[in-house]
């Protein structure tokens, strides 16, 4: 029911922010440092211009993006300047850098996710959800796996175009991809719509990467009142 897509992604070649896009395969070359870069962002629905917020960070990532907090903090003030007319616009952000050996570094703010998908089809979340519930679990105030009211899924951290919101938290991690493994970045349109078990079941049903992603997209489309969905994925083949 939204007039425009509030997600944005960088697939290693270009930024995409479209209302409807089927899964497709592209060829992305490593940058001059020998790294492939991928990123997603999910504009916060109730902020003034969520589509502009998500697009800003994808465009900035194309220019000189790194999957670390230094990149985010360096560009935060320009983010505030560019969206000054729409102060308070907000977005999540997740990015990875992958080198030729399969070594990955990631950073994220908010609840857009990075998954390490092992060759056997096991999904391992490498990002951290900056939500009220995740923060409560980290503090011992809530239990992992227990059901809580929907309000606790609200964001505790995101990138907000406001100079007073400069002290955001950034999660960073590193991991390695073996041959046959994949790294998948997604907005919460995927993780909120499908359970962890459903993700693994759908993934194992196909061998072709493009077909796997299209199955995920179609499964989300069948869920009532689904959110914007953006996925970008790379599988190590050698």
């Amino acid at each position: 029911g939204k007039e425009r897509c509030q997600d944005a992604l960088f697939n290693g070649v270009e930024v995409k922010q479209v209302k409807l896009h089927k899964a497709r395969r592209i060829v992305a070359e490593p940058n001059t440092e020998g790294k492939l870069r991928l990123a997603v962002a999910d504009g916060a629905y109730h902020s003034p211009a969520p589509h502009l917020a998500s697009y800003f960070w994808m465009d900035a990532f194309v220019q000189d993006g790194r999957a670390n907090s230094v990149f985010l903090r360096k560009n935060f003030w320009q983010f505030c300047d560019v969206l000054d007319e729409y102060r308070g616009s907000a977005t999540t952000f997740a990015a990875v850098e992958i080198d030729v050996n399969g070594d990955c570094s990631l950073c994220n703010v908010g609840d857009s996710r990075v998954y390490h998908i092992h060759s056997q089809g096991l999904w391992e979340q490498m990002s951290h959800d900056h939500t009220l519930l995740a923060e409560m679990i980290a503090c011992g105030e809530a239990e992992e796996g227990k059901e809580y009211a929907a309000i606790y899924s609200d964001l505790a951290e995101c990138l907000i175009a406001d100079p007073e919101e400069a002290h955001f938290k950034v999660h960073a991690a590193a991991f390695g991809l073996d041959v046959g493994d994949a790294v998948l970045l997604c907005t919460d349109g995927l993780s909120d719509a499908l359970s962890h078990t459903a993700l693994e079941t759908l993934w194992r049903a196909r061998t072709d990467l493009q077909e796997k992603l299209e199955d995920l997209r179609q499964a989300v489309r069948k869920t009532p009142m689904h959110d914007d969905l953006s996925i970008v994925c790379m599988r190590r083949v050698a």
Side-chain angles (χ1 to χ4, degrees):
K2 299 176 183 176
E3 293 183 358
R4 64 178 77 229
C5 180
Q6 295 170 354
D7 288 0
L9 67 80
F10 175 59
N11 58 23
V13 175
E14 59 186 336
V15 174
K16 289 288 186 182
Q17 188 177 48
V18 295
K19 195 165 185 179
L20 179 63
H21 212 320
K22 295 182 179 180
R24 62 184 59 193
R25 188 185 305 271
I26 65 162
V27 177
E29 297 293 336
N31 61 16
T32 55
E33 297 179 356
K35 295 184 178 182
L36 180 65
R37 301 176 302 144
L38 308 171
V40 296
D42 179 6
Y45 177 66
H46 293 295
S47 67
H51 62 292
L52 296 181
S54 61
Y55 190 88
F56 171 88
W57 285 105
M58 291 301 97
D59 187 55
F61 193 70
V62 170
Q63 303 305 318
D64 63 347
R66 303 299 302 269
N68 58 38
S69 62
V70 174
F71 159 72
L72 294 170
R73 300 195 188 285
K74 182 178 69 173
N75 285 275
F76 176 76
W77 301 108
Q78 183 183 4
F79 176 49
C80 294
D81 289 343
V82 170
L83 274 76
D84 183 61
E85 181 181 353
Y86 306 100
R87 180 167 294 195
S89 297
T91 184
T92 67
F93 179 86
V96 297
E97 293 181 88
I98 310 142
D99 70 16
V100 294
N101 298 315
D103 293 327
C104 300
S105 58
L106 73 89
C107 73
N108 82 281
V109 180
D111 61 358
S112 289
R113 293 185 175 180
V114 177
Y115 286 100
H116 177 188
I117 306 177
H118 299 265
S119 58
Q120 304 91 339
L122 298 174
W123 286 50
E124 182 180 5
Q125 183 180 339
M126 307 306 297
S127 56
H128 172 73
D129 291 344
H130 291 113
T131 61
L132 297 178
L133 178 58
E135 300 302 306
M136 291 170 63
I137 291 173
C139 296
E141 298 174 356
E143 297 179 24
E144 186 86 44
K146 187 176 179 179
E147 290 292 329
Y148 291 90
I151 190 173
Y152 292 109
S153 65
D154 287 353
L155 291 173
E157 299 285 343
C158 60
L159 298 166
I160 305 173
D162 185 332
E164 295 185 3
E165 301 291 342
H167 301 293
F168 52 87
K169 294 180 181 178
V170 181
H171 171 76
F175 60 99
L177 296 177
D178 293 327
V179 174
D181 290 359
V183 57
L184 182 147
L185 289 74
C186 65
T187 57
D188 67 351
L190 179 67
S191 54
D192 284 353
L194 303 177
S195 69
H196 193 93
T197 299
L199 293 172
E200 292 185 337
T201 300
L202 286 164
W203 189 266
R204 290 169 175 157
R206 304 268 196 168
T207 56
D208 180 76
L209 181 58
Q210 185 172 337
E211 291 178 347
K212 289 174 184 285
L213 298 178
E214 185 61 22
D215 283 351
L216 293 177
R217 188 180 78 88
Q218 292 293 348
V220 170
R221 286 189 67 197
K222 293 176 183 177
T223 61
M225 300 297 291
H226 62 82
D227 195 4
D228 296 345
L229 165 67
S230 293
I231 302 173
V232 58
C233 180
M234 188 279 291
R235 183 162 58 185
R236 185 181 180 193
V237 295

